[in-house]
Amino acid sequence: MRRALIVYTTQYKEGGNLFEAVAHTLSDKKKAEGMHVWCEPTETKAALKGVFDRITSSGESIDELHFVGHSGMYGPMFGTVKYPEQFSPHEIRVMNIPFSA
């Protein structure tokens, strides 16, 4: 069975409630296609890494990764506008994303 991970933010800027709705709509679509779906809010870089670690430690992998939220120069934005978080290019290169072969 193919697996999809959908992560979304709700706190970074306005519109978080809309991102949650989009993520759940996409999740419903993927489930209707017969996929196993994880759909989770991730408000920090650490939270996203934790989701990846949890999937990896369970021996599972993902075929698709979807991010629903705001993004900046290097990609997804986390946290809040008062305390923004974004992965650096180096962090993205070395990130262990549990993609299937």
Side-chain angles (χ1 to χ4, degrees), residues 20-36:
E20 183 175 13
V22 168
H24 286 285
T25 299
L26 180 58
S27 175
D28 291 344
K29 179 182 182 291
K30 294 295 179 183
K31 287 176 183 177
E33 294 171 2
M35 295 186 82
H36 175 82

Side-chain angles (χ1 to χ4, degrees), residues 14-53:
E14 296 174 10
N17 60 326
L18 300 175
F19 293 146
E20 183 175 13
V22 168
H24 286 285
T25 299
L26 180 58
S27 175
D28 291 344
K29 179 182 182 291
K30 294 295 179 183
K31 287 176 183 177
E33 294 171 2
M35 295 186 82
H36 175 82
V37 179
W38 292 277
C39 184
E40 301 189 27
T42 52
E43 305 297 349
T44 64
K45 295 185 325 182
L48 180 59
K49 289 179 181 179
V51 172
F52 292 158
D53 290 345

Side-chain angles (χ1 to χ4, degrees), residues 3 8 10 31 44 62 68 78 87 91 96:
R3 297 174 186 94
Y8 60 95
T10 63
K31 287 176 183 177
T44 64
I62 59 174
V68 182
F78 300 95
F87 289 107
E91 288 175 303
N96 183 22

Side-chain angles (χ1 to χ4, degrees), residues 32-101:
E33 294 171 2
M35 295 186 82
H36 175 82
V37 179
W38 292 277
C39 184
E40 301 189 27
T42 52
E43 305 297 349
T44 64
K45 295 185 325 182
L48 180 59
K49 289 179 181 179
V51 172
F52 292 158
D53 290 345
R54 196 171 64 244
I55 292 170
T56 300
S57 67
S58 71
E60 298 195 76
S61 60
I62 59 174
D63 298 291
E64 296 181 14
L65 171 60
H66 301 272
F67 172 78
V68 182
H70 293 284
S71 118
M73 184 184 303
Y74 301 119
M77 294 299 297
F78 300 95
T80 68
V81 293
K82 290 182 181 178
Y83 186 78
E85 287 191 314
Q86 188 175 28
F87 289 107
S88 70
H90 172 74
E91 288 175 303
I92 292 170
R93 279 192 299 276
V94 300
M95 192 179 304
N96 183 22
I97 302 172
F99 282 116
S100 60

